[in-house]
């Protein structure tokens, strides 16, 4: 085992972590209409802490009551009641030795349901590619969004900042600004969805501007010591082929700017965390580490401990986040440490709706496999 081993302590900003394994953010549409954490969700998140994960990143929490909500049953951080609902979970996670980060998400043009607004908004009035996600109650194509005005943008920034403050008051150890996977901030980052001719459009330096403004507002709202991360990807839930048109030059501009913006980490996600970001280049995770100088959490397609360890050893990353492998094995860390066989992820765990009722039903029906 090296000093950089999966099971050794790590730091993200001022935060000490027991090991280098994080649960990736995963939307489970189980919060009900009020957007509150439920006892079922508490048990779900707590099982990852009991299973040994050092860091748990929540599903994307919507940040305002204007355009940010993406899904029916998505939890939010837009009022005191929503924030308060997370307090018992944070206490339970801390008691189990884990740390918690709230992911702050504005769905923008990819919103499939919004209890506060029937319109969608994005950087430009461009109909998103692809189809809505069926396992989150979506059907057919996406609506063409309203192009956001400067005052819409200002409202979105304030939403992130206030949600971060509520997360801090609710006992989270940090927040992760969701700049990945095709949601609002990634819509600004991506040339295809961003046709703006103002300071938010055009070059990668302009396209990343909104992310930098959100980071600054979140930092101002939460103080110097609160952990702030940013999640970045090239691929999107509605476009699994997307690459930044400027290639590595875009990665250099985006990660350098984020590195100087007052964040504590970058979380990269690609379908395969070790794949070259562009033909012949390093992985997105490596590029993020190189250009930002920040700790990087790498995510995407990691199932086995050896793969995770390889990311630490060869891709300059500090932590590895597991999504589907953690769903199949909430006790992945305990299993990996002891060499116990891992359960395979099955999409049936998320069917027909990706909520916790269906997951519970799946695991009840496959109880014998679970104990195998
Ligand atoms: C059911 C489900 C829900 C997801 N929800 C989110 C989310 O809320 N925020 C986010 O950034 N990524 C989300 N993701 C993406 C995961 O965090 C992760 O990037 C993806 O599953 C690839 O990693 P994996 O191969 O380890 O699963 C979701 C993935 C799944 C399977």
């Amino acid at each position: 085992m090296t000093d950089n081993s999966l099971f050794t302590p790590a730091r993200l900003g001022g935060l000490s972590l027991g090991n280098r394994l994080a649960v990736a953010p995963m939307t489970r549409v189980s919060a009900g209409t009020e957007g509150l954490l439920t006892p079922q969700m508490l048990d779900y998140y707590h099982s990852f802490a009991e299973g040994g994960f050092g860091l748990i990143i929540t599903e994307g929490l919507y940040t305002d009551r204007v355009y940010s909500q993406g899904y029916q049953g998505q939890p939010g951080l837009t009022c005191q009641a929503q924030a308060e609902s997370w307090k018992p979970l944070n206490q339970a996670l801390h008691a189990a030795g884990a740390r918690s980060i709230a992911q702050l998400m504005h769905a923008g043009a990819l919103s499939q349901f919004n209890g506060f607004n029937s319109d969608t908004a994005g950087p430009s009035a461009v109909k998103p590619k692809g189809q809505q996600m069926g396992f989150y109650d979506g059907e057919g194509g996406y609506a063409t969004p309203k192009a956001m005005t400067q005052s819409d943008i200002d409202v979105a920034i304030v939403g992130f900042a206030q949600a971060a403050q509520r997360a801090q008051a609710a006992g989270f150890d940090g927040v992760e600004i969701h700049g990945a996977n095709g949601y609002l901030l990634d819509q600004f980052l991506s040339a295809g969805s961003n046709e703006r001719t103002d300071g938010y459009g055009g070059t990668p330096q302009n396209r990343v501007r909104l992310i930098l403004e959100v980071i600054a507002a979140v930092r101002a709202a939460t103080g110097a010591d609160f952990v702030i991360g940013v999640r970045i990807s090239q691929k999107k839930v509605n476009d699994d082929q997307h690459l930044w048109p400027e290639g590595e030059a875009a990665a250099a501009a985006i990660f350098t700017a984020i590195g100087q913006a007052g964040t504590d980490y970058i979380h990269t996600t690609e379908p395969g965390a070790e794949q070259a970001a562009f033909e012949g280049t390093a992985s997105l995770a490596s590029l993020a580490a190189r250009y930002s100088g920040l700790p990087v959490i790498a995510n995407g397609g990691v199932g086995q401990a050896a793969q995770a360890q390889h990311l630490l050893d060869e891709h300059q990353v500090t932590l590895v986040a597991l999504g589907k492998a953690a769903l199949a094995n909430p006790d992945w860390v305990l299993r990996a440490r002891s060499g116990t066989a891992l359960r395979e992820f099955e999409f049936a765990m998320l069917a027909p709706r990706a909520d916790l009722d269906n997951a519970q039903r799946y695991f009840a029906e496959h109880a014998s496999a679970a104990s195998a």
Side-chain angles (χ1 to χ4, degrees), residues 12-15 17 55-59 61 77 86 90 94 98-104 160 163-177 218-219 222-223 225-230 264-265:
L12 278 186
L15 200 59
L17 302 166
L55 178 65
I56 289 144
I57 307 174
T58 69
E59 61 202 289
L61 310 177
L77 270 180
W86 291 88
N90 285 321
H94 292 154
R99 301 291 185 175
S100 60
I101 286 185
Q103 191 185 54
L104 306 181
F160 275 100
Q165 223 163 23
R166 292 187 189 102
Q168 190 176 31
F172 282 103
D173 298 296
V175 289
E176 177 170 290
I177 296 163
V218 168
R219 177 59 74 204
T222 56
D225 299 331
F226 196 53
V227 169
I228 301 174
V230 181
D264 297 293
Y265 73 89

Side-chain angles (χ1 to χ4, degrees), residues 24-27 60 103 136 178 181 231 269 299-301 322-324 350:
M26 283 178 283
T27 292
Q103 191 185 54
Y136 293 144
H178 197 348
N181 299 4
R231 194 173 216 220
T269 172
N299 166 255
L322 306 181
K324 295 184 290 293
L350 302 173

